[in-house]
Amino acid sequence: MRWRKSSRSAQAGTDCVEVAVLVNAEGIAARDSKDLFGPVLVLSPAGWRGLLSMVKREG
């Protein structure tokens, strides 16, 4: 996977979220950049859109 840092991550680099598109765009993976070998959250495209919608709505 090709990970990229979220544009909403802290500038200081201490609170960073990285995201990656899964093969064939079958989902989105997210991880904490401070724990590269830690857990990864994997969502379907619809689940990712729902999460982003909720975050934007709730702040």
Side-chain angles (χ1 to χ4, degrees):
M1 286 186 282
R2 185 174 179 192
W3 293 97
R4 62 184 175 93
K5 183 177 172 184
S6 170
S7 62
R8 298 290 185 170
S9 292
Q11 294 298 329
T14 57
D15 296 320
C16 300
V17 174
E18 294 180 324
V19 296
V21 177
L22 300 179
V23 176
N24 298 324
E26 292 183 9
I28 305 293
R31 71 179 180 184
D32 180 348
S33 65
K34 295 183 303 300
D35 189 4
L36 301 181
F37 300 104
V40 174
L41 175 65
V42 177
L43 297 167
S44 68
W48 181 253
R49 287 189 300 274
L51 175 65
L52 292 180
S53 176
M54 182 185 72
V55 168
K56 289 176 184 177
R57 188 175 57 247
E58 301 294 326

